[in-house]
Amino acid sequence: MKKKIIYGLLAALIIIQFFPIDQNNPAVIDGQDYLASSQIPQETQTLIENACYDCHSNTTDYPWYFRPQPLGWCLKGHVKGGRSKINFSEWGSMSSEDQKHALHECIEVLEEKRMPIKSYTWLHGEAQLSDEQRAALIQHFGASH
Ligand code: HEC
């Protein structure tokens, strides 16, 4: 009986490998990107790109660990969830009201240390923010208000 369950689980694990995630990114439209559309120092741009862009833009990287399921589905869920809240690649298409709100929320999640998602920083050391970097980003988003 136990054996049957284990074989069943193994079979399921193999079958779900045939349902990969979509690794195509939506097109980035020239001039719409948050970083392209404003005067932001290079250092701050790099910070935002490293810490936020994999989930909040249309320039997501999909390393090998997006391939094994169900991990890939879970990670893609982060990308979908992140983009649905803020997509920096589509910044220019947002109303100024929505942009203001988004900047405000960015400050909030940084202050509360909710972003970048902790598990993401385990694999992306460059996204791990020091206290100074976090403070710099909070100041940046506050100044762009
Ligand atoms: C690993 C993916 C990932 C990274 C990296 C990431 N986010 Fe998010 N973000 C999400 C997901 C998923 C959500 C939606 C679910 C949630 O609210 O927790 C979200 C939600 C948000 C929200 C909406 C606020 C809210 O209460 O839901 C803001 C603002 C935000 N992120 C800003 C940022 C900023 C700024 C960075 C970089 C410093 C960042 N995120 C990095 C995945 C990510």
Side-chain angles (χ1 to χ4, degrees):
M1 185 61 199
K2 248 192 199 151
K3 241 187 196 167
K4 255 192 191 159
I5 293 172
I6 290 170
Y7 283 142
L9 284 175
L10 266 179
L13 201 60
I14 291 167
I15 289 164
I16 62 175
Q17 305 312 315
F18 291 96
F19 296 89
I21 56 148
D22 180 4
Q23 297 201 358
N24 293 310
N25 281 326
V28 179
I29 300 160
D30 260 0
Q32 293 263 321
D33 192 273
Y34 176 70
L35 297 177
S37 63
S38 38
Q39 304 271 318
I40 303 171
Q42 186 57 49
E43 205 179 325
T44 313
Q45 291 197 26
T46 308
L47 267 185
I48 297 174
E49 253 171 335
N50 285 346
C52 318
Y53 262 50
D54 267 345
C55 302
H56 289 287
S57 82
N58 293 337
T59 55
T60 307
D61 263 343
Y62 298 100
W64 61 268
Y65 47 80
F66 272 83
R67 253 168 265 144
Q69 306 305 357
L71 188 60
W73 294 338
C74 171
L75 296 175
K76 183 72 192 222
H78 278 169
V79 176
K80 281 188 183 151
R83 280 181 189 157
S84 75
K85 293 274 177 178
I86 296 181
N87 188 334
F88 286 117
S89 296
E90 296 171 7
W91 188 258
S93 67
M94 288 163 68
S95 70
S96 62
E97 214 34 48
D98 286 347
Q99 289 177 345
K100 255 194 201 153
H101 180 68
L103 291 168
H104 188 75
E105 281 197 319
C106 283
I107 295 171
E108 220 168 73
V109 295
L110 283 162
E111 279 175 347
E112 292 166 5
K113 298 199 170 171
R114 281 168 44 217
M115 292 286 148
I117 291 178
K118 203 171 262 151
S119 58
Y120 175 77
T121 61
W122 297 339
L123 286 164
H124 296 264
E126 76 283 0
Q128 208 152 19
L129 300 174
S130 68
D131 287 347
E132 291 77 33
Q133 289 171 327
R134 194 173 284 277
L137 281 187
I138 290 168
Q139 203 193 7
H140 161 76
F141 286 124
S144 326
H145 245 160

